[in-house]
């Protein structure tokens, strides 16, 4: 339980940089106000969007009955360690990727490859990898539409877009709470049911509240290293870029949450920001930074899975 809530707290802290990057870096809202706004929206999203994603995480990655309490605890420990390392390095890595990889790695170390639901994990990975592409495409298309609509606009239009950024920021933060807080609910419920603390896999309301509060608390602390990478190093964002990127991210993340698809909000936001910049000029985006981020994304699943396997072997087989 403690490891699960720690994961939720650190997830919120690490992802807060991505969630607030656009609205802070364009000067629409100050850092402290932005983080509190995002944290409040996260809390609301986590408590109002149901538990479809939690069921996907708790039931769709490993075979029924294959996870033990020790395997779940090891998976959470590996996810937390990878998240701390990524935050220290300033990499917007995916906690969703890390959790999926770590859970599969720990259960594999416990019961072998047959205990991992390859079909289920395949579906999860497809969603995780397609969602950033959708974010990029949606932001690119939205920027083109905004350029067409505002080509004869006065400078006041830019000021209105800057003020309007709070709405898509709230929506994407609600989507993040609905998606990522549910991952914490799902993994904690899986561990509690494996340990016999819950009669069966279910998501009680008290667990929803605990995960939502933990994630919102982490977000309120903030993650400035990731914010610099996503919001400052890709290109110089203006209000129109921030609005398009956040609106596109909100569409993808909220839609996936309602459908039960576990996406990486960090990935979707980073791809949406790149898509918004590319719509103006491809050379505007620093593609070397994008490559650095993508490399971190692809490393996360095997790295977290390998770390969880080693931790399980050390802590369980050789205590």
């Amino acid at each position: 339980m403690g490891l699960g809530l720690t994961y939720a707290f650190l997830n919120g802290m690490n992802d807060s940089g991505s969630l607030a990057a656009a609205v802070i870096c364009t000067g629409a809202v100050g850092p402290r106000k932005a983080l509190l706004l995002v944290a409040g929206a996260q809390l609301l999203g986590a408590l109002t969007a149901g538990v479809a994603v939690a069921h996907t995480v708790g039931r769709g990655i490993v075979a029924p009955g294959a996870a033990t309490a020790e395997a779940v605890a090891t998976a959470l420990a590996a996810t937390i360690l990878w998240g701390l390392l990524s935050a220290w390095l300033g990499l917007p890595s995916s906690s969703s990727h890390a959790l999926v990889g770590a859970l599969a790695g720990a259960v594999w170390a416990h019961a072998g490859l047959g205990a991992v639901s390859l079909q289920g994990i395949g579906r999860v990975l497809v969603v995780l990898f397609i969602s950033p592409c959708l974010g990029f495409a949606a932001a690119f298309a939205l920027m083109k539409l905004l350029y067409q609509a505002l080509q004869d606009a006065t400078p006041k239009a830019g000021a209105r877009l800057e003020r309007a950024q709070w709405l898509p920021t709230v929506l994407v933060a609600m989507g993040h709470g609905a998606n990522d807080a549910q991952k914490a609910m799902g993994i904690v419920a899986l561990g509690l049911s494996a340990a016999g603390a819950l009669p069966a896999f279910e998501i009680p309301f008290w667990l929803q509240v605990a995960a939502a509060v933990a994630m919102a608390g982490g977000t309120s602390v903030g993650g400035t290293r990731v914010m610099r990478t996503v919001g400052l190093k890709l290109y110089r964002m203006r209000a129109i870029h921030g609005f398009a990127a956040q609106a596109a991210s909100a569409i993808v993340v909220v839609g996936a949450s309602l459908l039960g698809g576990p996406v990486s909000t960090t990935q979707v936001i980073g791809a949406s920001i790149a898509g918004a910049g590319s719509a103006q000029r491809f050379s505007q985006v620093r593609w070397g930074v994008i490559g650095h981020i993508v490399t971190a994304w692809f490393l996360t699943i095997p790295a977290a899975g390998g770390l969880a396997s080693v931790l399980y072997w050390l802590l369980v087989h050789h205590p």
Side-chain angles (χ1 to χ4, degrees), residues 41-105:
Q42 263 185 345
L43 186 66
L44 181 62
L47 295 176
T48 59
V51 292
V53 174
H55 280 273
T56 299
V57 171
R59 291 177 169 174
I61 297 174
V62 299
T68 63
E70 293 82 4
V72 172
T74 303
L76 282 167
T79 304
I80 290 167
L81 287 174
W82 180 256
L84 290 172
L85 178 62
S86 299
W88 181 67
L89 295 173
L91 295 175
S93 66
S94 167
S95 58
S96 304
H97 280 192
L99 183 62
V100 170
L103 181 57

Side-chain angles (χ1 to χ4, degrees), residues 55-56 82 114 159 165 173-174 200 202 219 264 270-271 313:
H55 280 273
T56 299
W82 180 256
Q165 280 186 79
M174 287 181 66
E202 59 182 11
T219 297
S264 168
W313 186 80

Side-chain angles (χ1 to χ4, degrees), residues 9 23 41 48 78 85-86 102 107 114 126-127 137 145 187 208 211 214 216 222 230 267 272 286 298 306:
F9 181 89
V23 74
T48 59
L85 178 62
S86 299
V107 172
V126 166
V127 174
L145 289 173
I187 193 71
Q208 295 181 49
V230 174
Q267 281 191 2
S272 297
R286 294 178 182 137
F298 279 98

Side-chain angles (χ1 to χ4, degrees), residues 148-159:
Q148 282 291 112
L150 300 175
Q151 59 182 341
D152 298 322
T154 65
K156 289 183 179 180

Side-chain angles (χ1 to χ4, degrees), residues 97-137:
H97 280 192
L99 183 62
V100 170
L103 181 57
V107 172
W108 188 350
H110 164 67
L113 182 59
V116 179
S117 174
L118 297 181
Q119 184 178 11
I121 201 172
R123 285 196 296 265
V124 169
L125 292 180
V126 166
V127 174
L128 284 170
F129 282 110
I130 286 180
S131 53
C133 301
L134 294 177
F136 183 97

Side-chain angles (χ1 to χ4, degrees), residues 36-304:
L36 291 176
L37 178 69
V38 166
Q42 263 185 345
L43 186 66
L44 181 62
L47 295 176
T48 59
V51 292
V53 174
H55 280 273
T56 299
V57 171
R59 291 177 169 174
I61 297 174
V62 299
T68 63
E70 293 82 4
V72 172
T74 303
L76 282 167
T79 304
I80 290 167
L81 287 174
W82 180 256
L84 290 172
L85 178 62
S86 299
W88 181 67
L89 295 173
L91 295 175
S93 66
S94 167
S95 58
S96 304
H97 280 192
L99 183 62
V100 170
L103 181 57
V107 172
W108 188 350
H110 164 67
L113 182 59
V116 179
S117 174
L118 297 181
Q119 184 178 11
I121 201 172
R123 285 196 296 265
V124 169
L125 292 180
V126 166
V127 174
L128 284 170
F129 282 110
I130 286 180
S131 53
C133 301
L134 294 177
F136 183 97
F140 187 94
L142 186 54
M143 275 292 294
K144 291 294 187 182
L145 289 173
L146 286 173
Y147 278 137
Q148 282 291 112
L150 300 175
Q151 59 182 341
D152 298 322
T154 65
K156 289 183 179 180
R160 292 193 187 99
L161 275 177
E162 183 175 300
R163 290 193 297 271
Q165 280 186 79
W166 71 269
L167 178 58
T169 298
V170 165
L171 290 176
V172 76
M174 287 181 66
H176 179 265
N179 207 283
D180 282 46
Q182 285 193 51
K183 293 165 193 162
M185 299 172 200
I187 193 71
V188 170
L190 180 63
L192 292 176
S193 61
L198 289 176
F201 180 86
E202 59 182 11
I203 313 295
F205 183 68
W206 62 263
L207 179 54
Q208 295 181 49
V209 173
V213 170
M215 180 164 286
T219 297
S220 66
V221 175
T224 55
R225 283 177 178 263
V226 173
M227 185 196 74
R228 293 190 191 104
T229 300
V230 174
L232 297 176
K233 291 185 179 180
L234 295 182
Y235 59 88
R236 185 177 178 182
M237 275 198 297
R238 293 184 289 119
I240 190 170
H241 303 114
F243 182 87
Q246 291 293 77
S249 300
I251 292 169
V252 174
V253 175
V254 172
S257 300
L258 294 176
L259 293 173
V263 301
S264 168
T265 308
T266 302
Q267 281 191 2
V268 174
I269 292 174
S272 297
I273 289 174
S278 299
Q280 180 176 354
R281 195 169 57 248
F282 243 75
S283 60
Q284 174 171 282
V285 179
R286 294 178 182 137
W287 294 103
V289 177
I290 293 290
H292 188 53
I293 293 171
V294 171
T295 299
W297 293 348
F298 279 98
L299 281 176
T300 295
I301 290 178

